[in-house]
Amino acid sequence: MGINPYPYSCEITHKAEEIKASFPLLEGKTVRVAGRIMSRRVFGKLIFSHIRDESGDIQIAFQKGTSELSPPVEDMEPLKFAKKYLDIGDIIGVKGVVFKTKTGEISVLAEEFSLLAKSLYPLPEKWHGLRDKELRYRERYLDFIVNPEAREIMKKKSLIISKLRNFLDRKGFLEFETPVLQPLYGGATARPFTTYSEALDARLYLRISDELYLKRLLVGGFERVYEISKDFRNEGIDRLHYPEFIMLEAYAAYWDYNDMMEMAEELLTSLVQEIHGDTEIQYGEMKLSFKRPYKRVSFVGEIEKQLGKNPLGMETDELREAAEELGIPGAEKLPQHKIIDKIFDRLVGENLIDPTFVLDHPLILSPLAKKHRENPGLVERFELFVAGMEIANAFSELNDPVDQRRRFEELVKLRKKGDEELPPEIDEDFLLAQEHGMPPAGGIGIGVDRLVMILTNQPSIRDTITFPHLKPRS
């Protein structure tokens, strides 16, 4: 036929939504648009199609005697080409005049049109196509084509990350990139992904946290640092957990967890206000209020209210029995500190709906946080819960290298007892850095994907991820 169905480029002057929003100014003017054909109706000498670009849909009218094919095809009338060879799913470019149909729909009358990419497969049928969640995740590109709401989630996620970054930049924080491949994992408790460097002849791990490298920057003289990056944890997948996820971590020298609490409140409330225009939003069936100040509760105190006794005074067997009664899976194999954490999540965390700071965790749960200045059995730590899920975790950061070494040694002992989520050895390089003097600091980690879940009203973390992993097709 002599036509290239995959040309190199196309000039565009306007987006679909821009044309509709600026119709009074653009009526009768020539525009150039491009997009994917989403519908087609043939009426003799007229064809009406809707094309979809990133901004939305707009109707294109092809008319015999008016619309020309570019480049032209010998012995082929342009409208006949459009009828015979342009299909739903094809991407086209159009130069034409903006007008409004008799039914009042803003449209573009094509003076010139080009085929930019031929789709070799039909799109899913509009109403009965991508309804299956697994298929939507597996063929995500089709999900984005046929479900504008899926695209909107990703656009809003990009906006949210941009606003997080802008907020910290305004506060004087510097953004850094720290190693993704690490010789020893740390900063959290999780099973790592393991790889091997041929060049270094060494085993390496995909990071489970950025924390220990960002703290090295504090030692190096940078006073406010942050990173927004992917972390990787070789764990299960459910509505709140995914093996690779976006984490924001920020550290400020000379702050403590009270300062971080203040900043977290300001950050989240301003973010909600900017995204939604209000401090109250809907999440599922819940109405969430981000009006400051946020509620504050005690980690140990809330468990004690539910169990009728202080969990720190309970024996492991007694805690395990309580966990089993609550239906916590695998409780018979969990160490004491993990049982306490699971009991909190089940009895308290899942029921914290409005933004709530949970304060002052047991020392055994927080190896990188400073001991509480008034209660040495606790640490200065908070978790921020919203809609029953933890979205932030923060400390007054431990900067005493002697105390830090002692706690690392305890972690290694727990590892030898079978806790595979803990590193197998002490991070001597981090301790060496800390021994050179790390300033007192506050630090925070925010789970960006969970935050996006809440701000876009999505039930699962996978709905906020562009291309979520699935098990291989059977």
Side-chain angles (χ1 to χ4, degrees):
M1 188 179 291
I3 187 170
N4 178 9
Y6 305 101
Y8 289 91
S9 63
C10 176
E11 181 184 353
I12 297 172
T13 62
H14 295 79
K15 296 287 189 182
E17 288 303 315
E18 182 184 357
I19 293 170
K20 290 190 279 191
S22 304
F23 176 74
L25 297 175
L26 292 176
E27 185 178 14
K29 303 287 178 60
T30 298
V31 297
R32 291 178 180 269
V33 293
R36 189 181 298 273
I37 298 174
M38 300 304 296
S39 69
R40 197 173 75 137
R41 305 185 311 281
V42 179
F43 300 99
K45 297 180 181 180
L46 274 174
I47 300 174
F48 289 102
S49 290
H50 284 91
I51 67 169
R52 176 170 295 169
D53 64 16
E54 187 180 4
S55 71
D57 295 1
I58 192 161
Q59 181 168 263
I60 306 295
F62 302 88
Q63 185 176 47
K64 186 173 183 178
T66 300
S67 305
E68 297 293 333
L69 176 63
S70 177
V73 175
E74 189 175 352
D75 298 327
M76 176 69 74
E77 199 276 322
L79 196 69
K80 184 177 179 181
F81 177 91
K83 289 180 181 178
K84 189 172 183 180
Y85 294 109
L86 293 187
D87 299 307
I88 292 174
D90 293 348
I91 298 173
I92 62 171
V94 175
K95 173 188 174 185
V97 175
V98 178
F99 77 107
K100 189 176 286 188
T101 65
K102 292 179 181 179
T103 60
E105 183 169 357
I106 296 169
S107 307
V108 176
L109 176 60
E111 295 178 333
E112 185 179 291
F113 65 95
S114 305
L115 177 61
L116 301 179
K118 183 67 181 172
S119 175
L120 303 183
Y121 293 93
L123 292 181
E125 199 267 323
K126 184 175 182 181
W127 299 112
H128 304 288
L130 288 186
R131 295 286 182 175
D132 180 76
K133 272 280 188 181
E134 181 175 334
L135 184 60
R136 288 182 61 188
Y137 293 147
R138 197 176 293 281
E139 299 182 355
R140 198 70 149 125
Y141 47 90
L142 291 179
D143 188 25
F144 292 142
I145 290 172
V146 302
N147 292 319
E149 62 273 14
R151 291 205 313 278
E152 285 304 311
I153 293 167
M154 296 305 150
K155 289 163 73 172
K156 192 165 285 187
K157 181 175 184 176
S158 178
L159 177 64
I160 290 166
I161 292 172
S162 176
K163 289 185 177 296
L164 290 172
R165 185 172 275 117
N166 291 340
F167 178 92
L168 291 169
D169 290 344
R170 291 196 304 270
K171 291 288 185 181
F173 285 77
L174 296 177
E175 184 173 12
F176 285 88
E177 293 180 353
T178 61
V180 175
L181 294 172
Q182 300 179 352
L184 188 64
Y185 57 97
T189 56
R191 286 186 177 89
F193 288 94
T194 305
T195 186
Y196 186 82
S197 169
E198 296 290 346
L200 299 174
D201 189 23
R203 172 182 288 185
L204 295 173
Y205 304 94
L206 290 181
R207 66 180 170 205
I208 61 172
S209 169
D210 318 340
E211 179 167 348
L212 301 186
Y213 281 93
L214 288 171
K215 286 180 175 178
R216 286 170 169 90
L217 291 171
L218 297 182
V219 174
F222 297 98
E223 295 183 356
R224 295 188 184 186
V225 301
Y226 78 95
E227 185 169 13
I228 298 175
S229 61
K230 283 284 186 78
D231 287 342
F232 306 87
R233 297 178 185 178
N234 198 354
E235 300 175 336
I237 296 175
D238 58 31
R239 64 176 290 267
L240 298 181
H241 298 90
Y242 192 72
E244 57 175 303
F245 56 95
I246 300 175
M247 179 68 77
L248 182 161
E249 291 202 34
Y251 296 84
Y254 313 116
W255 286 19
D256 64 11
Y257 78 146
N258 294 300
D259 299 303
M260 275 298 167
M261 226 178 307
E262 180 71 18
M263 189 181 81
E265 267 196 11
E266 181 185 351
L267 169 59
L268 290 185
T269 297
S270 64
L271 181 62
V272 171
Q273 184 78 45
E274 288 181 43
I275 297 296
H276 287 277
D278 197 348
T279 56
E280 288 193 357
I281 65 173
Q282 195 75 29
Y283 182 67
E285 298 179 353
M286 295 175 275
K287 191 86 167 180
L288 307 179
S289 173
F290 286 81
K291 186 176 180 181
R292 301 176 68 185
Y294 298 171
K295 184 179 178 181
R296 289 158 168 75
V297 300
S298 160
F299 180 96
V300 174
E302 291 302 304
I303 297 178
E304 188 170 0
K305 285 180 186 178
Q306 297 296 323
L307 291 181
K309 56 179 68 176
N310 188 327
L312 300 184
M314 297 170 66
E315 296 295 329
T316 302
D317 288 344
E318 191 178 5
L319 285 167
R320 188 165 285 130
E321 183 179 337
E324 289 173 348
E325 287 178 3
L326 292 169
I328 295 172
E332 69 281 357
K333 297 180 181 179
L334 293 175
Q336 183 185 37
H337 63 288
K338 289 190 176 181
I339 297 173
I340 293 173
D341 202 31
K342 297 288 186 184
I343 287 175
F344 175 85
D345 288 340
R346 181 60 57 88
L347 289 178
V348 184
E350 294 175 3
N351 301 309
L352 299 175
I353 306 305
D354 281 337
T356 302
F357 289 117
V358 177
L359 307 178
D360 304 336
H361 297 56
L363 177 64
I364 194 171
L365 284 177
S366 311
L368 294 166
K370 272 195 171 188
K371 291 179 181 177
H372 197 283
R373 63 197 78 186
E374 296 175 2
N375 187 340
L378 305 177
V379 294
E380 295 196 351
R381 172 186 176 187
F382 72 77
E383 292 176 290
L384 177 57
F385 279 78
V386 182
M389 66 182 93
E390 178 212 337
I391 63 168
N393 186 28
F395 308 149
S396 293
E397 300 295 341
L398 178 59
N399 64 331
D400 176 349
V402 176
D403 190 4
Q404 186 65 82
R405 178 177 292 278
R406 188 181 306 117
R407 296 204 214 171
F408 278 170
E409 288 170 349
E410 290 300 316
L411 294 182
V412 170
K413 290 178 183 177
L414 289 172
R415 165 69 186 226
K416 290 178 179 177
K417 291 179 180 179
D419 191 340
E420 295 180 1
E421 293 185 340
L422 296 173
E425 59 187 274
I426 292 172
D427 192 335
E428 293 289 353
D429 184 75
F430 173 71
L431 285 175
L432 178 61
Q434 205 173 54
E435 286 163 356
H436 283 81
M438 179 182 127
I444 190 168
I446 297 175
V448 174
D449 302 293
R450 290 186 185 179
L451 182 59
V452 173
M453 279 177 62
I454 292 169
L455 294 181
T456 59
N457 196 14
Q458 296 304 306
S460 170
I461 195 169
R462 289 196 289 184
D463 293 317
T464 73
I465 294 170
T466 47
F467 297 99
H469 294 296
L470 296 169
K471 290 182 178 179
R473 294 181 192 267
S474 57

